[in-house]
Amino acid sequence: MTNKLKITFLLGVFTMLFSGNINAQLKKGQLVDGIAAVIGDEIVLESDVEEQLNYGKQQGASTTDRCEFLENLINNKLLVYEAKRDTLIESRSAAIKEGVNAKFNQLLGQFPDEKSMLAAYKFRNQYEMKNAIEKIDTDQYYGQAKYARITEKADVTPNEVTDFFNLYKSQLPEIKDEVSLSQIMMYPKLTEAHKDELINKLKKIKADIAGGESFESQARIYSEDKGTAPNGGLMKNIFKGQMVKPFEAAALNLQEGEISDPVESEFGYHIIELVKKSGKVYDARHILLMATPTDAEITTAKQKLDSIRGLILAEKMSFKEAAFKFSDDKKTKFNAGVITGGDGSSKIERESIPGVISYELAGLNKNDITTAFDDEDERQRKVVKLIKIEDVIPAHQITLETDYDRIKQMALNKKKSEMIEKFVNSKLPTTFISIDGRYDSCDFKGNWKKESLTK
C-alpha cells in the first residue's frame, strides 16, 4: 500500500476520535498512565495511544505500529489546539458542560451503583469522571469544527473519481455481501387498564411518602430507572433542555420539596420531586415505572403490523407510504423506512446485521417482507418491526460501475486528508511540540521532532 493511501486511512482513524460516543472513548479500567506528547497546551496520554491502537486492530487496520497511532493522535490534538484559537469557531463550553450529567447518568445506568461504576473506570469520585467526560466531548467538538472548517470546500470531479480508482484499484477492498433494508417500527401500545395500573401504583407511592415514607427509600424500592434508583432517584445539576419535555415541564412547575402527580413520558410514568432550583439548573428526584408492554400488548402490535403487511402485499399501499403513516421510528419514517449503515449509505454488510433481524431475514430474497417480529430499540425498549429487503448485493470486487458513490467518497476523503495534512504542516514551525523520549525511535511522516518553539 502506498504511503498516501496509508495516510488516508490513518487520518480516517484520526477523525474517528471526533465521531465516537462516550462509551467508545471512556474505557473501563483505563486512566492517566503517563503523557506521550504535548501539542501547544493539549496533551496526548499513553492510554489514548493504547485505545486508538486497540480500535485500529478491531477495525482491521493494516498497521499496528504504535508510532503511527501516536502521530494520528498528535494530528488530532493539533487540530483541537488550533480550533480553540479560531475566533470563527463558536465556543460551546457551556453546552458541553450541560451534557456531561446526562452522559454520566447514561453510564451509571449500566452499573448497580455509582461506586461500582467509579471502580470500573478507576476514578476516585464523580467529579473526576465528569471532568474526563467533559474533556472528551470538548475535544470531539473542537476537532470536528476545525476539520469541517479546513475541508468545507473539498469536492471531487468525475474525472478525479476515475483517476483515484485507476490509481488505487489494486488496493481497494473486496465488497462483502450487503443488503439494503427498510423498516416499519412500532412501540406496542399499553391498554388503558395497564396505564391505570401504573398510574395508580405511583399514586399509592406518593400517598405513602405523604404518610411518612421518604422519597429516597421508595425510589430505591420501586423505581425502574437503574441509573438513579440506587441514589434514591436523585439527579443533580440538571440543565434546562436536558430532560424530555414532559418530565422537565412537570419538574419546573413544582415548588422545592413538592411532588408531582404521575407524569407520562416516552420512558414510562414518573412522579417527580423538585429538590432545588437555581437559575437554569435544578436537582430532582424521580420514581419511574417503565411502560413495558405485556406479551398480550406485543401480540396486538404484531397483529397490527401483519395487517399492514397484508395491505402492502395486496398493493393497496407501498412500503414507503406505510412507513411514513405507521412507523414510530423518526430516523427512518421520513426516508421511506430506509435503514442507513455506519457510513450513512443504504448498504449494510450482512455480517453486521444484529442477530434478531438476521434470523428474520434468513431465506428471504429481494423485495420480500418479514412477518412482524419483536425486537428492542437502542434504549432497550420493546418494539415490533417489519423489515423489507430492498436490494441484495453479493460480494464483489469494487468497480466504478457498481460502487461509484463509494469510490467517490473514498476520493473525497483522500482529498480532505491531504488538506488536513497541508494545514498541519503549515502550523508545525510555530507550535510547541514535545514527545516523550520513549518514542525517539519513531520515524514520523510529519516533522514532529523539530526543536520545540513557543510563539
Side-chain angles (χ1 to χ4, degrees):
M1 185 177 286
T2 68
N3 283 338
K4 284 191 175 181
L5 202 55
K6 276 188 179 180
I7 291 169
T8 301
F9 167 76
L10 286 170
L11 287 174
V13 176
F14 140 57
T15 59
M16 178 282 300
L17 184 63
F18 301 145
S19 60
N21 57 38
I22 185 65
N23 293 303
Q25 300 300 326
L26 205 57
K27 298 294 186 183
K28 292 181 187 177
Q30 290 186 353
L31 195 54
V32 177
D33 58 349
I35 294 174
V38 179
I39 305 91
D41 53 14
E42 299 296 320
I43 294 171
V44 176
L45 301 175
E46 278 298 321
S47 55
D48 297 332
V49 181
E50 190 67 31
E51 180 179 319
Q52 296 302 297
L53 186 63
N54 290 337
Y55 181 88
K57 289 177 181 177
Q58 293 166 9
Q59 299 301 308
S62 60
T63 179
T64 54
D65 185 341
R66 196 176 189 86
C67 297
E68 291 194 24
F69 278 87
L70 173 62
E71 185 166 19
N72 161 37
L73 283 161
I74 294 172
N75 271 286
N76 169 20
K77 287 295 186 179
L78 190 143
L79 277 197
V80 172
Y81 173 66
E82 290 296 333
K84 290 178 180 178
R85 291 149 49 90
D86 190 334
T87 57
L88 294 179
I89 293 178
E90 176 190 3
S91 173
R92 294 288 303 276
S93 57
I96 290 168
K97 282 181 181 293
E98 289 183 12
V100 168
N101 287 313
K103 292 189 175 183
F104 181 87
N105 289 330
Q106 176 189 343
L107 287 172
L108 183 57
Q110 302 171 18
F111 294 85
D113 52 48
E114 183 178 296
K115 184 178 179 180
S116 300
M117 178 182 71
L118 293 174
Y121 287 100
K122 294 190 177 181
F123 288 100
R124 289 172 294 185
N125 51 55
Q126 67 168 259
Y127 176 78
E128 278 189 355
M129 186 166 179
K130 286 182 178 180
N131 274 349
I133 294 171
E134 183 179 343
K135 183 177 182 300
I136 290 165
D137 284 1
T138 298
D139 280 1
Q140 287 177 349
Y141 166 69
Y142 282 107
Q144 286 174 336
K146 193 63 182 179
Y147 185 90
R149 284 258 297 143
I150 296 167
T151 63
E152 61 187 350
K153 295 183 179 180
D155 197 8
V156 286
T157 66
N159 284 341
E160 287 175 314
V161 175
T162 300
D163 290 344
F164 173 86
F165 176 73
N166 289 334
L167 183 60
Y168 296 114
K169 62 182 175 183
S170 63
Q171 303 168 32
L172 298 180
E174 182 181 79
I175 305 302
K176 298 180 180 179
D177 287 328
E178 295 178 321
V179 290
S180 294
L181 305 174
S182 298
Q183 73 171 4
I184 300 170
M185 187 194 84
M186 286 184 177
Y187 293 107
K189 289 184 169 51
L190 274 55
T191 63
E192 291 303 315
H194 191 175
K195 291 180 184 178
D196 289 343
E197 178 186 340
L198 297 174
I199 291 169
N200 290 334
K201 184 175 180 179
L202 284 173
K203 286 180 177 179
K204 183 179 185 306
I205 293 170
K206 181 180 177 180
D208 289 343
I209 295 169
E213 297 285 353
S214 71
F215 196 106
E216 296 97 306
S217 66
Q218 298 299 285
R220 290 189 181 98
I221 295 169
Y222 296 110
S223 182
E224 295 175 353
D225 180 353
K226 295 178 182 179
T228 63
N231 298 324
L234 181 62
M235 293 177 286
K236 300 187 71 174
N237 298 318
I238 307 169
F239 285 79
K240 287 183 179 179
Q242 183 176 323
M243 306 300 287
V244 291
K245 289 182 180 179
F247 183 102
E248 182 161 280
L252 294 180
N253 278 325
L254 297 172
Q255 299 299 315
E256 291 185 5
E258 186 181 2
I259 299 173
S260 72
D261 289 329
V263 176
E264 182 181 5
S265 79
E266 61 192 77
F267 298 100
Y269 294 83
H270 318 246
I271 53 172
I272 305 162
E273 179 187 29
L274 181 65
V275 177
K276 182 177 68 175
K277 180 166 60 176
S278 176
K280 294 183 177 181
V281 184
Y282 62 99
D283 296 348
R285 295 185 187 273
H286 82 135
I287 296 171
L288 169 68
L289 298 182
M290 295 179 68
T292 304
T294 64
D295 289 344
E297 289 162 343
I298 292 172
T299 297
T300 298
K302 288 165 72 174
Q303 289 171 343
K304 181 176 180 180
L305 267 187
D306 279 330
S307 68
I308 293 169
R309 178 177 183 270
L311 294 174
I312 296 169
L313 294 177
E315 299 184 352
K316 294 184 177 179
M317 68 171 58
S318 67
F319 196 95
K320 175 181 178 180
E321 291 168 338
F324 179 77
K325 186 173 182 179
F326 298 110
S327 184
D328 291 329
D329 182 15
K330 295 177 182 178
K331 292 184 292 186
T332 60
K333 72 175 296 174
F334 302 109
N335 187 35
V338 174
I339 302 172
T340 55
D343 61 355
S345 76
S346 63
K347 297 175 181 178
I348 303 170
E349 287 187 6
R350 271 196 181 271
E351 63 183 34
S352 71
I353 297 172
V356 172
I357 296 176
S358 182
Y359 175 82
E360 297 294 332
L361 295 179
L364 300 186
N365 301 306
K366 183 176 178 178
N367 294 323
D368 286 346
I369 303 173
T370 66
T371 55
F373 63 96
D374 55 286
D375 197 1
E376 291 184 345
D377 69 3
E378 64 276 5
R379 292 176 176 170
Q380 297 183 317
R381 293 178 295 178
K382 289 290 186 182
V383 297
V384 293
K385 294 179 177 179
L386 290 178
I387 302 282
K388 180 184 179 184
I389 301 179
E390 299 286 354
D391 199 6
V392 175
I393 306 100
H396 62 279
Q397 189 61 44
I398 193 168
T399 69
L400 281 170
E401 292 73 24
T402 58
D403 304 283
Y404 181 85
D405 289 342
R406 196 190 308 260
I407 297 166
K408 179 180 178 181
Q409 190 60 51
M410 289 179 182
L412 181 60
N413 288 344
K414 180 177 179 294
K415 178 171 282 191
K416 288 181 177 181
S417 294
E418 290 168 348
M419 294 171 76
I420 294 293
E421 187 180 2
K422 181 178 179 181
F423 174 83
V424 167
N425 287 336
S426 73
K427 296 298 178 181
L428 285 180
T430 53
T431 305
F432 174 84
I433 298 165
S434 176
I435 299 174
D436 190 90
R438 76 192 79 181
Y439 294 100
D440 283 348
S441 62
C442 289
D443 183 20
F444 295 124
K445 296 180 181 70
N447 187 26
W448 302 108
K449 290 183 179 180
K450 67 181 179 63
E451 183 179 352
S452 299
L453 299 172
T454 55
K455 293 198 76 170

